[in-house]
Amino acid sequence: MIAATSVLGMTAVLGGCGLGGGSGEVTLRLVAADYGDSASNSSQKYWDKLVKAYEAKHTNVKVEVSVYSWNDVDRKVKELVAAGKAPDMAQIGAYADYAAAGKLYSTADLLSIPVEADFLEPLADAGEVKHNKYGLPFAASTRVLFYNKTLFTEAGITPPKDWSELAADAEALKAKGVKYPFALPLGSEEAQAETMQWLLGGGGGYTDDIGTYTLDSTENVSTFTWLRDNLVAKGLTGPVAPAELNRADAFAAFADGDVGMLNGHPTLIQQAAKKGVKFGTVAMPGRNGKAKTTMGVADWMTAFKQNGHREQIGDFLDYVYSEQNVLAFSREYDLLPVTNSASEAMQASTQDKDLRPFLEELPLSTLYPVGNTSWAAVSADIKKGIGRAVAANGNPAAVLGQLQAAATLAESGK
């Protein structure tokens, strides 16, 4: 999930049927995740404003939105579906299980052709299960390498273009007493993201072109062997073992000026700026130059069949994905737009110049294998175990082999 820091847990009573108060009136129910970090910027405010504008033009349709924290939203939707009270729409972190069970409308069932065609291609493709699109990308993010300009100047170094330069820069930062020359968060919070970024840079990834897991590939084992030997073993990743370092703590340390380099997403921009850290960003280095692809992340909008209302859901989602609404949401929460029209508008706008490095990476990014119904289980295993691969006595081949075996079993459904 892109944002998992919300402290809000707003609830509402959800019903199972769809007809509302007036004659012919339809009530649509949407469960959505909260991207805010306080009451002042809760996603509830975004949805309330959007719904008010929509209902003003559609007097026969009411939309009720219930916003939950990222800690609760996927579980809440699962409970509602299990109880036979599926919402009409759910904006959540995954969709494949519901699609495989035949519970979702496809994108083609819902959206007008111009809206469906406007999604960025890698995001649209990631929403597929068995060649049909069921997950509508709702918000996106990519990763770039952040570096502390002040620390780099003091160490007399420039941003790295490949792994050998990255290791050399980390050595120089360590020599200057930098606490975390390179922060490597492989803790349980978001290890699957950091792992994927490095795998892509090493020419590997989680799956092959047809979605089969390849966690223990030669390229992936080589990548984690390099991390163990060239960064961790040399004390270049800081005082906290990568297996114990979470992404939020690494970001906080960067904002405190204690980190030389780390992989970061757009929310780090404001976090660092608020603390007065002078930073720069570059494309994530790969083994022999710029990584051919970076990691992209998307959250998903889904539409459940249970209550019917396909036409009304489709019309509402056409409105949700209008350029002005996609831009408003992306700017409110420092995320990347999922449509070509909004992305082009953001690229051309001076107010969004800090996001341009991320926008440039998104069209060619590689996303998690979210179309695999096993991905949630595989991701959880990676979070729990991948940090062991770079420990002092770690065995990357053994750890990745164990993860591969579990992934193969999970994909088989046994």
Short mmCIF file of all heavy atoms in Angstrom, two decimals, residues 346 349-357:
data_model
loop_
_atom_site.label_atom_id
_atom_site.label_comp_id
_atom_site.label_asym_id
_atom_site.label_seq_id
_atom_site.Cartn_x
_atom_site.Cartn_y
_atom_site.Cartn_z
N MET A 346 0.39 17.59 -14.71
CA MET A 346 1.32 17.75 -13.61
C MET A 346 2.74 18.00 -14.11
O MET A 346 3.48 18.81 -13.55
CB MET A 346 1.26 16.52 -12.71
CG MET A 346 1.88 16.71 -11.35
SD MET A 346 1.57 15.30 -10.24
CE MET A 346 0.11 15.88 -9.37
N SER A 349 3.12 21.64 -15.03
CA SER A 349 2.83 22.64 -14.00
C SER A 349 4.05 22.90 -13.12
O SER A 349 4.68 21.96 -12.61
CB SER A 349 1.66 22.15 -13.13
OG SER A 349 1.47 23.00 -12.02
N THR A 350 4.35 24.17 -12.90
CA THR A 350 5.49 24.51 -12.04
C THR A 350 5.23 24.15 -10.58
O THR A 350 6.18 23.87 -9.84
CB THR A 350 5.79 26.02 -12.14
OG1 THR A 350 4.61 26.76 -11.81
CG2 THR A 350 6.24 26.39 -13.54
N GLN A 351 3.98 24.11 -10.16
CA GLN A 351 3.69 23.79 -8.76
C GLN A 351 4.02 22.33 -8.43
O GLN A 351 4.16 21.97 -7.26
CB GLN A 351 2.23 24.09 -8.42
CG GLN A 351 1.23 23.03 -8.82
CD GLN A 351 -0.18 23.35 -8.40
OE1 GLN A 351 -0.90 24.10 -9.09
NE2 GLN A 351 -0.60 22.80 -7.28
N ASP A 352 4.16 21.50 -9.47
CA ASP A 352 4.44 20.08 -9.25
C ASP A 352 5.86 19.69 -9.65
O ASP A 352 6.15 18.51 -9.83
CB ASP A 352 3.44 19.23 -10.06
CG ASP A 352 2.00 19.53 -9.71
OD1 ASP A 352 1.66 19.47 -8.52
OD2 ASP A 352 1.23 19.85 -10.63
N LYS A 353 6.75 20.67 -9.74
CA LYS A 353 8.09 20.38 -10.26
C LYS A 353 8.86 19.36 -9.42
O LYS A 353 9.67 18.59 -9.95
CB LYS A 353 8.90 21.68 -10.39
CG LYS A 353 9.20 22.41 -9.10
CD LYS A 353 9.99 23.68 -9.38
CE LYS A 353 10.44 24.39 -8.11
NZ LYS A 353 9.32 24.77 -7.24
N ASP A 354 8.61 19.32 -8.11
CA ASP A 354 9.32 18.36 -7.26
C ASP A 354 8.94 16.92 -7.56
O ASP A 354 9.69 15.98 -7.23
CB ASP A 354 9.04 18.65 -5.78
CG ASP A 354 9.74 19.92 -5.28
OD1 ASP A 354 10.70 20.34 -5.95
OD2 ASP A 354 9.32 20.46 -4.25
N LEU A 355 7.79 16.73 -8.17
CA LEU A 355 7.33 15.38 -8.48
C LEU A 355 7.78 14.89 -9.85
O LEU A 355 7.57 13.71 -10.19
CB LEU A 355 5.81 15.30 -8.39
CG LEU A 355 5.20 15.44 -6.99
CD1 LEU A 355 3.68 15.47 -7.08
CD2 LEU A 355 5.64 14.30 -6.09
N ARG A 356 8.40 15.76 -10.64
CA ARG A 356 8.76 15.36 -12.00
C ARG A 356 9.68 14.14 -12.07
O ARG A 356 9.49 13.28 -12.93
CB ARG A 356 9.38 16.54 -12.74
CG ARG A 356 8.35 17.59 -13.14
CD ARG A 356 8.97 18.83 -13.74
NE ARG A 356 7.96 19.86 -13.96
CZ ARG A 356 8.25 21.14 -14.20
NH1 ARG A 356 9.52 21.52 -14.25
NH2 ARG A 356 7.28 22.01 -14.39
N PRO A 357 10.70 14.01 -11.18
CA PRO A 357 11.53 12.80 -11.25
C PRO A 357 10.71 11.52 -11.07
O PRO A 357 11.01 10.49 -11.69
CB PRO A 357 12.51 12.99 -10.09
CG PRO A 357 12.59 14.47 -9.88
CD PRO A 357 11.19 14.96 -10.16
#
